[in-house]
Amino acid sequence: MLEHYHLSSLMGIFLTFLPGQLLIFTNKNILEELVRASEGVARDLINIFSIAFFDAGRRSRNNIDKKAILEAARQWFEQDKSQNLDEKLQKILEKIVGEVIGHRRARSFLLPRVLEKHDVIQRLFDSRVLHLMQRGYADKDNPGVRYNIYTLDYGTYVDLINTSKQPDLQLSLDFGEEFKLENEYSEDRVVPFDDKRSIRKVILTDSILK
């Protein structure tokens, strides 16, 4: 089972174990972008960092810039994640990306918790193209229904960053009273880089998984 971290915790781990860490990046925002690209998965952070480091070296740069992070995230997604998706999963992922990012300009969405064990969701999660942020949210407009909050992997929209189609990447640590946590301190929680209002509006059903 993959170990997910709070993104802020993952940054702390990175800063602790990499001597002279900030000097490797053009500025602190680039380190934050690296952590964002990892989606809280230590394996992804290590590999994206490694690719970005050597990419910067090939371009004769003394430190890692945003271009290196974006290119590394793109490469890692294509060589490690996309390769594990069969044609059916590719098409379903495209539908989810089209709905969540294309139509809603978000990167996270709610899915009824009863669909957590759905084969498609399980396979997308295991392939690390969907990340579980939180289990057990209750929307006041849909009483009695529990939702899981998922976020799309950074690699699914990396080509849209810095374009007019980029999804909302605002960091929000407080979901407010619109949502009630079943377990406020759940180990499944990954700090979202999203506008809480955008998350609340994007509710997917099983129809998109067909």
Side-chain angles (χ1 to χ4, degrees), residues 72-100:
R74 182 185 298 107
Q75 287 186 33
W76 181 240
F77 180 83
E78 291 298 330
Q79 73 185 45
D80 182 75
K81 300 181 181 183
S82 182
Q83 296 295 323
N84 295 324
L85 305 179
D86 58 27
E87 184 177 354
K88 177 183 177 181
L89 286 182
Q90 288 277 10
K91 289 182 177 179
I92 293 175
L93 180 60
E94 289 174 5
K95 287 168 61 178
I96 294 174
V97 170
E99 178 63 25
V100 177

Side-chain angles (χ1 to χ4, degrees), residues 44-196:
D44 290 344
L45 182 142
I46 292 169
N47 282 281
I48 293 171
F49 169 75
S50 178
I51 296 170
F53 179 81
F54 288 108
D55 174 72
R58 283 192 296 271
R59 292 187 287 120
S60 300
R61 291 193 58 88
N62 295 324
N63 42 38
I64 297 172
D65 57 7
K66 188 170 183 177
K67 180 179 179 180
I69 297 295
L70 297 181
E71 181 57 32
R74 182 185 298 107
Q75 287 186 33
W76 181 240
F77 180 83
E78 291 298 330
Q79 73 185 45
D80 182 75
K81 300 181 181 183
S82 182
Q83 296 295 323
N84 295 324
L85 305 179
D86 58 27
E87 184 177 354
K88 177 183 177 181
L89 286 182
Q90 288 277 10
K91 289 182 177 179
I92 293 175
L93 180 60
E94 289 174 5
K95 287 168 61 178
I96 294 174
V97 170
E99 178 63 25
V100 177
I101 295 179
H103 294 162
R104 308 297 186 91
R105 295 293 299 278
R107 61 189 286 266
S108 299
F109 60 92
L110 292 124
L111 190 73
R113 194 170 60 176
V114 295
L115 297 176
E116 179 180 352
K117 300 300 183 181
H118 193 288
D119 179 63
V120 169
I121 293 298
Q122 286 288 299
R123 293 170 66 191
L124 291 174
F125 177 78
D126 289 344
S127 297
R128 306 193 318 286
V129 296
L130 286 186
H131 302 278
L132 179 61
M133 293 164 59
Q134 181 62 55
R135 285 190 176 96
Y137 277 99
D139 181 0
K140 67 179 182 180
D141 292 333
N142 296 281
V145 180
R146 291 283 181 177
Y147 295 93
N148 287 348
I149 298 180
Y150 293 88
T151 190
L152 285 159
D153 186 73
Y154 188 93
T156 64
Y157 60 86
V158 64
D159 291 325
L160 301 179
I161 292 177
N162 297 328
T163 74
S164 61
K165 296 184 179 180
Q166 172 179 309
D168 187 356
L169 302 178
Q170 179 180 343
L171 172 62
S172 173
L173 302 181
D174 179 14
F175 285 88
E177 296 184 355
E178 290 94 338
F179 295 108
K180 295 184 183 299
L181 285 175
E182 182 179 42
N183 180 1
E184 185 177 359
Y185 301 102
S186 171
E187 294 179 355
D188 297 306
R189 185 163 186 259
V190 177
V191 177
F193 283 90
D194 259 302
D195 182 336
K196 63 189 178 188

Side-chain angles (χ1 to χ4, degrees), residues 2-20:
L2 291 171
E3 187 168 9
H4 285 67
Y5 297 86
H6 288 259
L7 297 182
S8 56
S9 297
L10 194 57
M11 183 180 292
I13 293 171
F14 191 86
L15 292 173
T16 299
F17 290 100
L18 186 62

